Amino acid sequence: MTAPNLLVELFVEELPPKALQKLGDAFAGVLHEQLAAQGLAGAGSRVTAYASPRRLAAHVTQVMGAAPDKAVSQKLMPVAVGLDAQGQATPALLKKLAALGLDAAALGGLKRVNDGKAEVLFHESMARGATLAEGLQKALDEAIAKLPIPKVMRYQLQDGWSSVHFVRPAHGLVALHGSEVVTGVQALGLTAGRETHGHRFEAQAEPIALRDADSYAQQLREEGAVIASFAERRAEIARQLAAAAAQVGGGVRPIEDDALLDEVTALVERPNVLVCAFEEEFLAVPQECLILTMKANQKYFPLLDEAGRLTHRFLVVSNITPDDPSAVIQGNERVVRPRLADAKFFFDQDRKKPLASRVEQLAKVVYHNKLGTQGERVERVRHIAKAIAAQLFDALAGQHAEQLDSDSGDLAREYLLTCVDNAALLAKADLVTDMVGEFPELQGVMGSYYAVGDGLPDEVAHAIEDHYKPRFAGDELPRENVGLVVALADKLETLVGMFGIGNLPTGDRDPFALRRHALGVIRMLTERELPLELERLIDLALVPFGSQVFSSAVSSKSPQETQPPAGGMQFGTPTLRIGTPIDPGTKEKLQDFIYDRLAGSLREQGYSAQEVDAVIALRPARLALVPRQLEAVRAFATLPEAPALAAANKRVANILKKAEAEGAVDPHVNEELLQEQAEQDLYAALQRFVPEADAQFNRGDYTASLQTLAVLRAPVDAFFDDVMVNTDDLAVRLNRQGLLKRLHQAMNRVADLSRLAV
């Protein structure tokens, strides 16, 4: 016969919406786990979590009324200690038995077991299984104690004397095993019963007497006007949002925002989606402002057209379903109007001053007490960005030299540097605008709009917005090279500064998002295949920390007046003055940190730990080439020669490590000192195949380079079979070490192949 199902519900005041789903899952999960641990829920038992704004509940299948008795074998002490020469209990054994509630009469029931060292006395008994009331009480206490409560509150119970701590005041407790109440179960000053409550305004019955554990969700829906399941309620909201958008027509769709959908799901018990509208004149305000205020302040779902543009309609998820919803619609339209008016006011006020005129205010905004103001930080970023831009342009120009003549190249270089310089100068200027002061999430976005309004080139406007990207995992990268350069400079300045003053991430703590900044640098270098070297970038970022950078002048002229004929802008040239030096070990620590983040990212992308280790061990200068190196290593590992060559590389590395402890090994080989046929054959193979492999490597064809070197397996194996490296003849020994050094250099340009050895 199948054991009855169990239903446990805590009825409370409105729970924190952003924590509701986690609270519901944790409550049900721990409750089920504890019941199973006590033997009350078997292997086939399943749990269903319920969570609504005013309840946490769990439905557990196949729960027994009492756990089966369990045999218990308890080790007492060695026989030599517990029994005397006549086989009688010693005082030590009698004391142990007394602690267990036994006396000398239990002596005959003790068992002797050899544990491999000595004969030991054991007492065997049957432990009574916990009743459901006992086990549920323990499980409920544990489930409440382990709830991930964001902030605990203290409140008094009805007796006026006692108080408890919980996320919100609790007003009801249900515990049903089948159709029977589990008597005696208590929590938070409440005693378990079968009554719960439905919707605050629309319940058909009050209170609701639950028939049994399995009728919980149905009775709440039919009698209480409540969808108890978080997942079902969320799906219903999504369905109604899509249906309402289709009813509006014109191809509109509700904005996609999982976090908003989760939060709204936690705010309503029976959703009812309504269509509302605002005055179209507000659409003159950047849509990001309107969308943010509707989502963040009102929990509305804006409607977008087919091109992704904001329309003047939005969707409201109401918690009530009146026959005439007009009052609800008008009320929400009335509430949103002042919000949108505020956004329009901020936007209009901000546009009265050019973005460049706000730069001076950044000198009054503290960035970090050890790193100065935002104004000083902007100048550091500006200096780094110009240096990176010059490096990037020269590298790209070198790749396309045939397409640029001297004059056009100089103009293009000057335009890039000027755009980068001014984008870096203006990147943080919107931090002191009214709009960003009200909505910090719009930093960068508003600066871009204001830059366009000031007549600045698109590259500068885009860079002001894009320099924060990528903001999170999977976020898009900056659109153009100007944005890429400023984003790199901004992130490197943060990394160098924070590492320089010792603010390193520790464990789960990363208050300055340094891991995210490092991954952003990695993604930009690799995904955009930028021909820039990591070490050189860090060197460039270190320069303004050795000497603080300050602007000699910020022009009060309009951006149009300061634009040179090439189309660039000029707001003042950075000058240097000596600043406070940072930790001299910053460079090495930061490089290690970035390579570590790179290795983790590559493993998450599906590369094996061995493949990643082999490539990262070389500390590749250009991260853009790492994906190609990994693919080459993966292809090499499939070759039949790979295991032997990897093992040989490991052996070579060990020989060279010992040799180099006594002095540097010269990779040059004297042919006249090659005595054995095997070493002559290896040298000949290196002479024949290494130039071809090097040419392929220099072309970036790493896979072909490693495959070419795979033919060295036979001469390498023969060398180690027939040649003694550490011979007594010093000249011959050094020559053989040099031959191995040359082999090691040739084989490990793409990756450290010894890391592939099993």
Side-chain angles (χ1 to χ4, degrees):
M1 181 178 176
T2 304
N5 299 332
L6 175 71
L7 184 282
V8 179
E9 182 205 63
L10 267 176
F11 183 77
V12 298
E13 293 181 14
E14 279 74 5
L15 292 160
K18 291 185 178 179
L20 179 63
Q21 188 173 16
K22 286 184 180 179
L23 290 171
D25 291 343
F27 180 76
V30 174
L31 192 77
H32 183 239
E33 176 187 294
Q34 290 296 314
L35 290 172
Q38 297 176 77
L40 291 165
S45 176
R46 297 290 180 267
V47 64
T48 302
Y50 294 99
S52 81
R54 297 200 296 159
R55 74 199 73 239
L56 298 174
H59 180 269
V60 186
T61 63
Q62 301 178 27
V63 177
M64 292 177 281
D69 295 343
K70 186 169 61 174
V72 178
S73 181
Q74 185 165 2
K75 182 178 179 180
L76 300 178
M77 60 186 65
V79 172
V81 176
L83 301 177
D84 60 19
Q86 289 73 41
Q88 299 300 309
T90 63
L93 179 58
L94 291 173
K95 184 176 181 181
K96 181 71 173 179
L97 291 173
L100 297 175
L102 304 171
D103 55 23
L107 187 62
L110 300 183
K111 285 194 173 183
R112 300 187 181 194
V113 178
N114 194 316
D115 66 357
K117 295 181 180 179
E119 203 173 17
V120 180
L121 292 172
F122 280 83
H123 175 257
E124 294 188 346
S125 61
M126 291 296 292
R128 181 182 66 84
T131 65
L132 178 57
E134 294 168 343
L136 179 56
Q137 184 66 64
K138 180 179 178 182
L140 184 57
D141 291 343
E142 193 75 8
I144 291 173
K146 289 186 175 180
L147 281 177
I149 299 174
K151 189 175 182 180
V152 177
M153 67 177 293
R154 179 177 178 229
Y155 61 94
Q156 278 191 333
L157 300 180
Q158 290 184 348
D159 61 13
W161 295 97
S162 307
S163 63
V164 294
H165 295 81
F166 195 53
V167 58
R168 291 290 186 272
H171 297 292
L173 175 64
V174 172
L176 288 178
H177 188 222
S179 59
E180 301 298 322
V181 174
V182 184
T183 57
V185 175
Q186 297 182 330
L188 304 173
L190 303 167
T191 301
R194 68 169 64 246
E195 290 187 348
T196 186
H197 304 272
H199 195 286
R200 193 182 290 276
F201 306 112
E202 299 184 348
Q204 300 297 310
E206 180 59 31
I208 300 170
L210 298 172
R211 295 187 294 273
D212 54 51
D214 295 340
S215 69
Y216 176 71
Q218 181 184 359
Q219 280 190 262
L220 274 180
R221 185 185 286 266
E222 294 176 356
E223 300 175 32
V226 170
I227 301 175
S229 167
F230 188 95
E232 289 181 22
R233 206 163 58 252
R234 190 181 193 276
E236 175 61 17
I237 294 173
R239 185 195 67 77
Q240 289 191 34
L241 288 172
Q247 184 181 358
V248 172
V252 300
R253 57 180 174 82
I255 196 165
E256 295 181 9
D257 189 323
D258 288 341
L260 177 61
L261 183 55
D262 287 341
E263 188 173 359
V264 170
T265 302
L267 288 169
V268 299
E269 293 193 305
R270 187 172 72 169
N272 178 34
V273 174
L274 303 171
V275 180
C276 303
F278 58 82
E279 289 78 1
E280 293 189 46
E281 67 185 68
F282 290 119
L283 293 176
V285 178
Q287 69 177 40
E288 291 87 350
C289 309
L290 306 182
I291 289 172
L292 183 60
T293 190
M294 284 192 281
K295 285 168 48 177
N297 295 323
Q298 305 303 134
K299 316 304 175 189
Y300 296 158
F301 287 83
L303 286 175
L304 309 179
D305 64 18
E306 293 176 309
R309 294 186 298 266
L310 180 67
T311 70
H312 72 292
R313 296 181 184 275
F314 60 95
L315 303 179
V316 175
V317 183
S318 174
N319 193 37
I320 57 175
T321 312
D323 295 332
D324 180 8
S326 60
V328 178
I329 293 172
Q330 291 169 9
N332 281 281
E333 291 176 344
R334 185 171 60 253
V335 167
V336 79
R337 195 172 293 117
R339 296 283 188 182
L340 302 184
D342 286 346
K344 185 176 186 302
F345 173 78
F346 293 144
F347 183 57
D348 291 340
Q349 288 297 110
D350 287 342
R351 288 187 297 170
K352 291 180 180 179
K353 294 174 62 177
L355 198 59
S357 68
R358 300 179 182 274
V359 174
E360 289 182 344
Q361 293 176 252
L362 295 174
K364 301 176 183 177
V365 180
V366 175
Y367 168 56
H368 191 281
N369 63 348
K370 293 183 180 179
L371 296 172
T373 66
Q374 282 286 2
E376 292 169 328
R377 179 170 182 248
V378 162
E379 295 301 338
R380 290 195 295 267
V381 172
R382 194 176 170 196
H383 181 83
I384 297 166
K386 286 190 72 174
I388 294 175
Q391 289 271 322
L392 178 60
F393 183 88
D394 293 344
L396 293 174
Q399 294 176 359
H400 306 284
E402 71 283 353
Q403 301 175 17
L404 287 173
D405 59 41
S406 177
D407 290 340
S408 62
D410 289 345
L411 285 173
R413 189 178 194 276
E414 182 61 27
Y415 182 72
L416 174 64
L417 265 62
T418 305
C419 285
V420 163
D421 183 34
N422 288 283
L425 176 67
L426 300 174
K428 307 296 182 184
D430 65 353
L431 294 178
V432 291
T433 61
D434 292 340
M435 185 70 82
V436 174
E438 181 71 15
F439 300 111
E441 303 92 331
L442 294 177
Q443 56 188 285
V445 173
M446 295 315 302
S448 179
Y449 277 106
Y450 298 144
V452 170
D454 290 344
L456 299 177
D458 288 344
E459 296 98 317
V460 174
H462 292 165
I464 292 172
E465 177 181 354
D466 290 353
H467 86 281
Y468 289 105
K469 297 177 182 177
R471 296 173 185 257
F472 50 85
D475 189 20
E476 62 184 10
L477 299 180
R479 286 161 277 190
E480 295 134 354
N481 283 341
V482 176
L484 281 169
V485 168
V486 179
L488 280 171
D490 183 69
K491 289 167 176 56
L492 287 168
E493 190 277 340
T494 301
L495 288 165
V496 168
M498 292 302 166
F499 269 71
I501 61 174
N503 276 344
L504 279 65
T506 55
D508 293 335
R509 292 193 71 255
D510 187 9
F512 297 97
L514 302 186
R515 295 186 181 98
R516 176 167 58 81
H517 283 307
L519 285 173
V521 171
I522 291 166
R523 283 191 57 200
M524 285 185 280
L525 292 175
T526 55
E527 294 179 26
R528 291 298 171 83
E529 298 185 354
L530 298 182
L532 299 171
E533 296 185 357
L534 178 62
E535 184 176 5
R536 178 60 177 151
L537 288 175
I538 295 175
D539 285 339
L540 295 176
L542 283 164
V543 171
F545 287 94
S547 50
Q548 294 283 357
V549 187
F550 295 90
S551 178
S552 60
V554 177
S555 173
S556 60
K557 297 181 181 180
S558 70
Q560 292 85 346
E561 290 179 289
T562 57
Q563 284 188 7
M569 297 65 55
Q570 190 65 43
F571 295 102
T573 304
T575 57
L576 296 172
R577 75 182 185 200
I578 299 301
T580 304
I582 58 174
D583 180 359
T586 296
K587 178 179 175 179
E588 290 71 24
K589 291 177 184 176
L590 181 52
Q591 279 185 290
D592 290 343
F593 180 72
I594 292 176
Y595 281 120
D596 184 58
R597 301 309 301 167
L598 174 60
S601 174
L602 293 170
R603 287 192 292 268
E604 289 175 2
Q605 294 173 41
Y607 294 104
S608 71
Q610 276 187 316
E611 292 166 347
V612 172
D613 192 28
V615 173
I616 300 302
L618 297 186
R619 311 275 283 191
R622 284 183 55 187
L623 303 192
L625 302 178
V626 167
R628 274 191 275 169
Q629 290 173 271
L630 282 165
E631 292 302 326
V633 169
R634 179 169 285 181
F636 173 79
T638 64
L639 299 176
E641 299 89 350
L645 283 173
N649 257 280
K650 189 171 185 178
R651 186 173 178 182
V652 169
N654 290 333
I655 292 171
L656 292 176
K657 183 177 180 181
K658 292 179 181 178
E660 287 172 343
E662 301 173 4
V665 175
D666 186 354
H668 295 93
V669 177
N670 184 344
E671 291 185 65
E672 295 179 358
L673 293 176
L674 298 174
Q675 299 176 348
E676 304 291 340
Q677 184 63 45
E679 61 183 326
Q680 294 171 8
D681 291 343
L682 177 56
Y683 178 72
L686 290 175
Q687 290 290 90
R688 177 180 176 186
F689 294 108
V690 169
E692 180 183 352
D694 285 347
Q696 292 164 334
F697 178 89
N698 293 333
R699 292 198 301 270
D701 193 349
Y702 304 137
T703 301
S705 180
L706 287 179
Q707 289 175 344
T708 297
L709 294 171
V711 301
L712 296 176
R713 175 189 173 177
V716 168
D717 287 347
F719 178 88
F720 283 116
D721 288 341
D722 302 339
V723 178
M724 173 68 69
V725 176
N726 292 323
T727 181
D728 293 335
D729 188 321
L730 179 60
V732 174
R733 181 169 74 245
L734 293 178
N735 200 54
R736 288 173 180 173
Q737 290 174 355
L739 180 62
L740 292 181
K741 181 67 174 280
R742 186 169 180 187
L743 170 66
H744 192 260
Q745 289 176 339
M747 289 294 299
N748 294 284
R749 296 190 70 187
V750 175
D752 182 354
L753 299 183
S754 67
R755 306 295 179 109
L756 300 178
V758 178

